[in-house]
């Protein structure tokens, strides 16, 4: 049974989540605050965490950081905070997804299933050394990309960006994280760099660069690789 930890201090929302999750055969634990959440996470070892950011005793971002010190459990943020900087802070801290309140239960469950599935498919590290899509393949050992039977020539910067994205399939990688990883901390606000290089990657790899299937933009937040 997949076990979910719900961290939320709104009793009505907790009740709705528990009812819907249990009806679909999830095991559910609930915590009304951060202290209880961290204790339950350590004791119960959930398969996923649904986390509100606005808790009475600590900010949800601090909970994400605390969990990431020892766990790779998928963390889905459920928050009324809609500002892009709030979303980026949560994702940079290690959240796997960000769902804005109000949300539909069906969407939440779909994202939860996807997060758990990604964890099952990639247990701990990017040990998947050949990433294949319908349009191209990426050999992480040989550092080679093949499209339509031909090698694709990538610059070192293009390769670095692609490598980061394909080793975290389905996960949103923030603009800030990509900029820091590829260009360094001093360039973490140069989002125009990213736009240029992502456009180049799409021209080289996507069948229709203006409607990409694999290198997806999340407006204002970052990029996601879909296989």
């Amino acid at each position: 049974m997949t076990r979910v930890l719900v961290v939320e201090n709104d009793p009505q929302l907790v009740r709705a989540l528990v009812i819907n999750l249990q009806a679909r055969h999830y095991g559910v634990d609930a915590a009304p605050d951060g202290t209880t959440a961290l204790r339950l996470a350590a004791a119960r070892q959930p398969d996923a965490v649904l986390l509100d950011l606005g808790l009475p005793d600590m900010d949800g971002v601090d909970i994400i950081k605390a969990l990431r010190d020892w766990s790779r459990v998928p963390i889905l943020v459920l928050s009324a905070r809609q500002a892009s900087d709030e979303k980026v802070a949560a994702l940079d801290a290690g959240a796997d997804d960000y769902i804005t309140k109000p949300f539909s239960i069906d969407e939440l469950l779909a994202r939860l299933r996807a997060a758990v599935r990604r964890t099952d498919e990639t247990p701990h590290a990017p040990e998947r050394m050949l990433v294949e899509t319908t349009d191209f393949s990426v050999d992480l050992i040989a550092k080679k990309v093949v499209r339509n039977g031909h090698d694709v020539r990538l610059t070192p910067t293009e390769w670095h960006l692609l490598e980061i994205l394909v080793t975290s399939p389905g996960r949103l990688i923030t603009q800030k994280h990509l900029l820091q990883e590829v260009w360094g901390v001093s360039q973490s606000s140069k989002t125009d760099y990213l736009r240029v290089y992502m456009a180049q990657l799409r021209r080289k790899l996507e069948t229709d660069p203006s409607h990409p299937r694999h290198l997806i933009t999340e407006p204002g937040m970052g990029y996601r690789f879909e296989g």
Side-chain angles (χ1 to χ4, degrees):
M1 178 183 289
T2 301
R3 179 156 294 279
V4 179
L5 174 59
V6 175
V7 187
E8 170 64 63
N9 67 335
D10 178 343
Q12 288 185 320
L13 180 53
V14 171
R15 184 171 181 273
L17 290 171
V18 169
I19 289 171
N20 279 278
L21 288 166
Q22 289 180 340
R24 291 160 177 83
H25 309 293
Y26 288 92
V28 187
D29 296 301
D33 54 56
T35 304
T36 307
L38 293 174
R39 177 175 57 79
L40 282 174
R44 304 286 280 173
Q45 299 286 311
D47 299 295
V49 177
L50 303 180
L51 173 67
D52 182 26
L53 295 182
L55 297 167
D57 60 339
M58 66 175 72
D59 190 80
V61 171
D62 293 326
I63 297 173
I64 297 169
K65 291 176 180 176
L67 287 172
R68 283 291 171 256
D69 283 342
W70 60 273
S71 174
R72 293 174 57 87
V73 63
I75 301 171
L76 287 74
V77 170
L78 312 177
S79 181
R81 303 177 186 177
Q82 299 189 26
S84 61
D85 58 341
E86 300 269 15
K87 296 178 182 180
V88 168
L91 293 163
D92 275 341
D96 294 86
D97 208 342
Y98 195 107
I99 303 166
T100 304
K101 297 177 181 176
F103 51 82
S104 77
I105 289 292
D106 286 342
E107 179 188 3
L108 170 62
L109 291 169
R111 294 203 191 191
L112 175 61
R113 288 192 299 270
V116 172
R117 186 167 60 245
R118 286 196 296 271
T119 303
D120 291 340
E121 290 170 354
T122 53
H124 286 293
E127 300 300 339
R128 218 175 130 212
M129 293 308 176
L130 181 64
V131 178
E132 296 182 288
T133 75
T134 52
D135 296 318
F136 59 89
S137 63
V138 182
D139 186 330
L140 294 166
I141 295 288
K143 297 197 171 188
K144 185 170 76 169
V145 180
V146 175
R147 182 180 176 210
N148 297 329
H150 300 287
D151 289 354
V152 178
R153 187 183 297 276
L154 298 182
T155 68
T157 299
E158 289 168 350
W159 170 261
H160 198 174
L161 276 172
L162 182 64
E163 183 180 37
I164 293 169
L165 289 165
V166 301
T167 51
S168 297
R171 182 171 178 179
L172 173 61
I173 310 296
T174 63
Q175 294 175 343
K176 180 180 177 182
H177 179 79
L178 287 168
L179 285 162
Q180 289 182 345
E181 286 292 314
V182 178
W183 286 280
V185 174
S186 64
Q187 305 297 329
S188 61
S189 63
K190 304 286 189 180
T191 54
D192 52 319
Y193 288 7
L194 269 180
R195 283 193 295 273
V196 169
Y197 277 93
M198 289 302 297
Q200 289 175 190
L201 275 175
R202 286 174 177 144
R203 280 196 294 272
K204 292 181 178 183
L205 302 179
E206 296 276 6
T207 300
D208 182 356
S210 60
H211 298 92
R213 295 177 57 191
H214 308 292
L215 303 174
I216 310 300
T217 299
E218 294 285 354
M221 294 191 287
Y223 298 89
R224 187 192 305 267
F225 169 73
E226 297 291 351

